[in-house]
Amino acid sequence: QVQLVESGGGLVQPGGSLRLSCAASGSIFSINGMGWYRQAPGKQRELVAVALGGSSTNYADSVKGRFTMSRDNAKNTVHLQMNSLKPEDTAVYYCYAQIKGRRDGAFFNYWGQGTQVTVSS
């Protein structure tokens, strides 16, 4: 019954910026972590930025210095500010959350539906 709703994807020129947002809703007891992954055509899904268990955010080397993840615990949301975008950033971006439901005794992994980010001139 947990749902992750994403927004903010689209088409942008190289060097431009986009801000992705993801909100978790449903029968949630607690959220242990949230983050973002991406998958380009013909490639495996890869980590972009994730923070779990209260630890600091882990960023992929390819996005360090360009992407910034932020989280609003009160609103169960996470954002990904993407600056200086490159064509190789083109991918489907997936919101990720590790959530314990109100009737669960453990955390489970949840994924958003994915949002397309295309960087092209």
Side-chain angles (χ1 to χ4, degrees), residues 64-113:
K64 287 181 179 178
R66 300 188 298 119
F67 291 10
T68 302
M69 189 176 77
S70 60
R71 181 177 169 184
D72 187 338
N73 293 330
K75 297 181 179 180
N76 291 335
T77 60
V78 65
H79 307 278
L80 185 68
Q81 179 66 46
M82 304 184 294
N83 299 325
S84 301
L85 283 163
K86 305 175 181 179
E88 49 263 45
D89 294 319
T90 296
V92 177
Y93 284 69
Y94 296 92
C95 179
Y96 164 83
Q98 192 175 84
I99 297 173
K100 181 184 294 185
R102 292 179 180 176
R103 297 184 180 182
D104 295 334
F107 292 98
F108 295 90
N109 297 326
Y110 293 88
W111 297 91
Q113 79 285 355

Side-chain angles (χ1 to χ4, degrees), residues 6-40:
E6 302 167 326
S7 62
L11 174 66
V12 66
Q13 294 182 334
S17 298
L18 283 175
R19 180 178 171 86
L20 305 183
S21 299
C22 175
S25 62
S27 184
I28 298 172
F29 179 77
S30 63
I31 299 178
N32 189 55
M34 298 187 76
W36 296 90
Y37 289 72
R38 68 186 182 186
Q39 187 168 22

Side-chain angles (χ1 to χ4, degrees), residues 42-65:
K43 296 185 178 180
Q44 292 184 308
R45 186 174 299 186
E46 65 176 352
L47 180 147
V48 177
V50 172
L52 298 176
S55 299
S56 60
T57 303
N58 293 321
Y59 293 95
D61 289 339
S62 59
V63 307
K64 287 181 179 178

